Each structure stands twice: as C-alpha cells, then as structure tokens.
Amino acid sequence: MTQRHPVQRGQHYNRIITAVFAVGFLSFFAGMWLDRTFAGLVVYAVTGLGGVAALLYLQFVSSVELVDEREQQLHERTSGFIVMLFAYVGLPAIIGLYLLDAIGYYTIPPVVWGGIYAFAGLYLSWGVAYLYYRYRT
C-alpha cells in the first residue's frame, strides 16, 4: 500500500464528507418526492450533523491537512466574489424596496423584512470578523 501525501489524504476526506452532505440533501428531496418528508428530514439532519462533526474533528483535532495553499487561495477568492456579488446585487435591491415603500407603491411584507435583516446580519458579521482579523496582531 502506498502512502498518500497528507494533503491528498485531506482532499480524500473532503470528497467523502461532500458525498455525505450530498446523500443527506438528496434524501431530503427524495423524502419530499415520496411523501415521506419527515424520514428525508431525519436522514438529512443525521448526515448534515455527522458531516459537520467530521469536518470539525478533521479541522481542529486531527493532524490531517484538509487543504493546501492553492485550495486556500481559491476558497478566499471564491468567498470574496460571492460576498461582493451579494453586495452589488442585494444593496441596490434593498434600496429600491425602501424607495418603493416610501412612495407607497409597494409595501414590504414581513418575509422580505426577514431577508433584509438576514442580509444586514450577514454583512455586520462579515464586518466584525474582518475587523477582528485585521487588527488582532
């Protein structure tokens, strides 16, 4: 048996955990399709929590390297792109909703207010985390 490079072992574990999440996700929708929503939800919950537990173990307890520098850089670029995409699309949409509400053309329903609060919470959390990592020297 040949030894794997530590990063290859981590990538192998990442693929397994991704497959676990995919099984849970597909089980949930299969349960809804088969009119067994609760059973699908239980499988989804078990696989989701198991996958998160495995990731936490591998990240903080195990000595396995899950990613290398290239993967980390790709992750950072992708995360930054998604955050900026949501900012460039979401902020003008929210401003437009506020303006339509102010002129009486559209009343913002409670569900949309929940989305606005979630959007604000996401960016406030991001800002706090950014400041923390920026100034924690």
Side-chain angles (χ1 to χ4, degrees), residues 118-132:
F119 187 84
L122 170 73
Y123 279 96
L124 285 173
S125 300
W126 184 88
V128 168
Y130 179 81
L131 290 174
Y132 171 77

Side-chain angles (χ1 to χ4, degrees), residues 40-59:
L41 183 60
V42 167
V43 173
Y44 179 58
V46 169
T47 56
L49 293 175
V52 168
L55 277 175
L56 288 172
Y57 172 78
L58 289 171
Q59 182 82 28

Side-chain angles (χ1 to χ4, degrees), residues 6-135:
V7 171
Q8 288 177 331
R9 282 182 50 215
Q11 291 171 344
H12 179 72
Y13 290 137
N14 273 337
R15 284 191 290 273
I16 291 171
I17 291 171
T18 300
V20 167
F21 284 130
V23 165
F25 185 73
L26 292 173
S27 297
F28 178 63
F29 285 106
M32 287 191 314
W33 185 64
L34 296 171
D35 201 25
R36 302 279 188 239
T37 305
F38 184 71
L41 183 60
V42 167
V43 173
Y44 179 58
V46 169
T47 56
L49 293 175
V52 168
L55 277 175
L56 288 172
Y57 172 78
L58 289 171
Q59 182 82 28
F60 296 110
V61 178
S62 173
S63 63
V64 174
E65 294 180 42
L66 293 176
V67 295
D68 60 357
E69 293 84 18
R70 293 175 303 168
E71 285 288 324
Q72 184 65 32
Q73 188 178 37
L74 178 63
H75 180 269
E76 290 169 0
R77 286 178 45 208
T78 306
S79 297
F81 172 76
I82 293 299
V83 166
M84 287 297 105
L85 178 69
F86 273 81
Y88 292 145
V89 173
L91 192 58
I94 291 172
I95 292 170
L97 287 172
Y98 280 144
L99 288 172
L100 290 173
D101 190 40
I103 62 174
Y105 188 74
Y106 177 76
T107 302
I108 301 175
V111 171
V112 176
W113 277 113
I116 291 171
Y117 293 143
F119 187 84
L122 170 73
Y123 279 96
L124 285 173
S125 300
W126 184 88
V128 168
Y130 179 81
L131 290 174
Y132 171 77
Y133 285 112
R134 174 98 175 150
Y135 296 110

